[in-house]
Amino acid sequence: MWNSLQDLGRPVLVAMGAPPGGAPNIWVQLVPFALVLGIFYFIIILPMKRRQQKVQSFHSGLKVGDRVVTSGGIFGTITRLNDQSVQLQIADKVRIDVSRAAISGYQGQEPVATESQS
């Protein structure tokens, strides 16, 4: 088609129209950006905060005598609690110290902290 237009011997001009009425309102430009931020907050950030609060309340509610499972799959009973660690009895006269964050849930229940949360 381009060759056929040149063959006519006339120059071909293509003009793009300018937007009527000048620049669009700044608020109209910010609405899509605000919608994306709102969706991002409600779909990603808010559920993550709720999950962190649930895990934090679980770890702060641990007490001596609770039967728990670690993220590594070790079952045991809590015999001593510290600020950062927990002592578990995993067999007769066998006790280990693990990080409080390694406790993923109570025995026989769904884990509170998943591996992806670390």
Side-chain angles (χ1 to χ4, degrees), residues 54-70 76-88 98-107 109 112:
K54 185 177 178 182
V55 170
Q56 182 66 28
S57 66
F58 168 73
H59 285 150
S60 64
L62 291 175
K63 59 188 179 300
V64 174
D66 285 346
R67 296 171 52 90
V68 296
V69 63
T70 67
T77 304
I78 297 176
T79 58
R80 188 176 66 207
L81 292 167
N82 292 334
D83 290 336
Q84 298 295 320
S85 66
V86 175
Q87 187 178 65
L88 295 179
V98 295
S99 171
R100 207 178 255 257
I103 306 296
S104 63
Y106 295 111
Q107 289 182 18
Q109 294 181 355
V112 176

Side-chain angles (χ1 to χ4, degrees), residues 14-42:
V14 178
M16 297 184 64
N25 190 354
I26 189 74
W27 296 108
V28 173
Q29 293 177 351
L30 289 178
V31 167
F33 183 70
L35 286 174
V36 168
L37 285 178
I39 291 169
F40 182 76
Y41 178 78
F42 284 109

